[in-house]
Amino acid sequence: MSANKFKIGDKVKVRKELVADEYYGDVICDIIMVRIGGRVLTINSVKRNFYIVEENSFYWTDEMLEPFEKTLDNLCAGDFIKSGSSVRKVLAAVDGCYLLSYSKEYTSASIWYTADELKEDGYSFIDYTMKQV
């Protein structure tokens, strides 16, 4: 396993369903790590197989953590983004690239974008449900 999902400065949340004495990648989970499930941490250092955080001295792996806040760098299929009046749905996400719908046509595929391209175009994540559409 490797530590490649997050970068220095990222806010992450400890997964709540961790199990003590189980390995997650190359790191064994301590009972204290289980007890702090749901707590927000800040990545301080990225090593080959684990992360070091500012808030404690434990080692953490990708499998133990999840993104704390949704950004253009960690979108998933089904997420919505907005730039100006243009609202688009992420139809697929592969290796940091996103297939977007056309604006307000959430089942028709447009083209693929990288997170950097979305940032350049002024997009941001929005909490948007189909009820609002």
Side-chain angles (χ1 to χ4, degrees):
M1 290 288 139
S2 63
N4 59 16
K5 192 173 180 181
F6 305 107
K7 61 185 182 307
I8 294 172
D10 281 355
K11 297 285 187 188
V12 295
K13 187 172 18 169
V14 178
R15 286 183 35 214
K16 290 185 178 183
E17 64 277 355
L18 295 178
V19 177
D21 299 324
E22 273 199 28
Y23 277 90
Y24 294 85
D26 294 335
V27 175
I28 192 165
C29 185
D30 186 275
I31 188 66
I32 296 170
M33 298 164 92
V34 172
R35 290 182 185 149
I36 63 174
R39 187 168 295 169
V40 176
L41 307 174
T42 308
I43 303 292
N44 191 37
S45 180
V46 180
K47 303 299 181 190
R48 185 175 180 188
N49 297 324
F50 59 87
Y51 301 100
I52 298 172
V53 298
E54 293 178 7
E55 294 78 6
N56 58 53
S57 59
F58 293 110
Y59 294 159
W60 300 90
T61 63
D62 285 335
E63 299 83 8
M64 302 169 119
L65 305 169
E66 57 190 33
F68 171 62
E69 48 193 37
K70 190 63 85 165
T71 68
L72 295 177
D73 295 308
N74 59 17
L75 295 172
C76 298
D79 287 341
F80 287 86
I81 60 173
K82 182 177 184 173
S83 178
S85 63
S86 175
V87 175
R88 300 172 83 177
K89 183 177 181 180
V90 177
L91 300 176
V94 178
D95 295 331
C97 294
Y98 308 107
L99 177 62
L100 299 183
S101 71
Y102 287 101
S103 182
K104 298 185 181 180
E105 293 181 32
Y106 305 123
T107 58
S108 298
S110 176
I111 61 174
W112 289 87
Y113 292 86
T114 65
D116 288 338
E117 290 170 328
L118 294 176
K119 291 173 191 173
E120 289 172 11
D121 290 345
Y123 280 94
S124 60
F125 169 78
I126 58 170
D127 189 10
Y128 203 73
T129 64
M130 292 306 284
K131 293 176 192 169
Q132 297 170 312
V133 176

